[in-house]
Structures are given as structure tokens and as C-alpha cells.
Amino acid sequence: MIAKFVTGILLPALFLSCNSTGIQIETPVSPQAKTKETPPSQTCYRYTVNTDTILLNMTRKGDAVTGTLIYHLDGKDKNTGTLKGLIKDDILLANYSFMSEGIRSVRQVAFKLNGSTAVEGFQETGTTHDTAYFRDINSLEYNNSMVLTAVVCK
């Protein structure tokens, strides 16, 4: 009977009184809630000379990038597609999946990002499983004749 009194009435009253004197019970916080995630940022670049146009629209979250890329160059087929890649040391390296002449293709692209400009890098490529990859990323050459400049995203 005394045991029922202690466990039924006295223990809950003791816990309530401890809580009312300022003792706080901490609720565990998940690791994701402790770190603030950076919201995605969108940046758009455009190159236009005469009838040639290149549009690069990218959404960046941390080092990861997704977006769209359009090439409309005089004398060549228009390419429109998506890209997915990473930015490291101001270099965007991504796989560009696009349609050209009704055929889906994938090739690696690289852009050097310098503040308000983006310059495409070129290098000899090889092919693996129908995807064109740069043979040596460290030997990319950047074509300063077609500099994309930052524009307001639409």
C-alpha cells in the first residue's frame, strides 16, 4: 500500500516540483536542424553576337549545380538541354544532356566562373557509354572569344 502511494502520487509530484524549479529537460535536436542550410541561388549567363547565342541558367546549392544550357550557333544545330554538376575552385564541371537533331546526347562541359562572367573550357574528349568526357580536366583551355556575362534570370 505504501509502495503504491510512493509510485502513484509521490514520484509524479516530485518530478513536477523538480521541473517547476527550473530544471529543464532537453529535447534532442537532429544534426540537420543544428546546421543552417544555404538556400539555392540562381545565376544566369548569356553570350550573344550576331545570331550566335549561348544561355546558361544554373541553380547552385552548396557546390552542386543543376540547370539548363542552350547553344544556338550560326551554321550548327540548336542544342537545348539540362546540366548537373559541381563547382570547385570557380570551375563548373557538369554533364550536359541535350537534344540535337532528335537524338539525346550527353557530354561533359566546363565553365570558368569569374564574378559576372563564365567562359567555356575545351579539351580533347573521349567517349564512355555514349557520354563524351574530357580526357584531362587539368588541361582545359578556356575560349575567351565567347564570354558569357551575367544577366537577370527569366
Side-chain angles (χ1 to χ4, degrees):
M1 181 79 132
I2 293 176
K4 285 185 183 181
F5 174 75
V6 170
T7 57
I9 296 176
L10 195 55
L11 281 177
L14 181 62
F15 284 167
L16 286 175
S17 68
C18 286
N19 224 5
S20 66
T21 61
I23 297 174
Q24 301 250 342
I25 300 172
E26 287 191 37
T27 305
V29 178
S30 70
Q32 292 83 7
K34 287 183 182 179
T35 59
K36 279 196 159 196
E37 288 189 26
T38 306
S41 63
Q42 187 174 18
T43 309
C44 300
Y45 297 93
R46 179 185 197 105
Y47 166 82
T48 303
V49 172
N50 299 323
T51 58
D52 292 342
T53 302
I54 302 171
L55 298 170
L56 169 62
N57 299 336
M58 59 183 211
T59 300
R60 181 176 181 175
K61 186 170 183 180
D63 292 337
V65 173
T66 57
T68 59
L69 182 58
I70 299 170
Y71 291 95
H72 193 213
L73 304 174
D74 191 35
K76 296 190 178 190
D77 293 320
K78 182 178 179 181
N79 295 335
T80 300
T82 59
L83 48 94
K84 185 175 183 178
L86 296 172
I87 293 178
K88 182 177 180 189
D89 299 327
D90 294 326
I91 302 292
L92 166 62
L93 186 63
N95 282 342
Y96 172 51
S97 177
F98 63 97
M99 292 294 292
S100 180
E101 296 183 353
I103 298 172
R104 168 124 349 248
S105 300
V106 179
R107 74 175 174 91
Q108 201 170 39
V109 294
F111 287 89
K112 182 185 284 187
L113 307 174
N114 295 318
S116 63
T117 63
V119 179
E120 187 166 7
F122 296 94
Q123 216 274 330
E124 185 178 331
T125 60
T127 305
T128 304
H129 303 291
D130 298 332
T131 300
Y133 289 98
F134 294 120
R135 290 191 186 270
D136 182 6
I137 294 170
N138 297 317
S139 297
L140 288 169
E141 294 181 21
Y142 294 92
N143 182 351
N144 287 317
S145 67
M146 294 193 299
V147 177
L148 288 72
T149 55
V151 295
V152 175
C153 297
K154 295 181 182 182

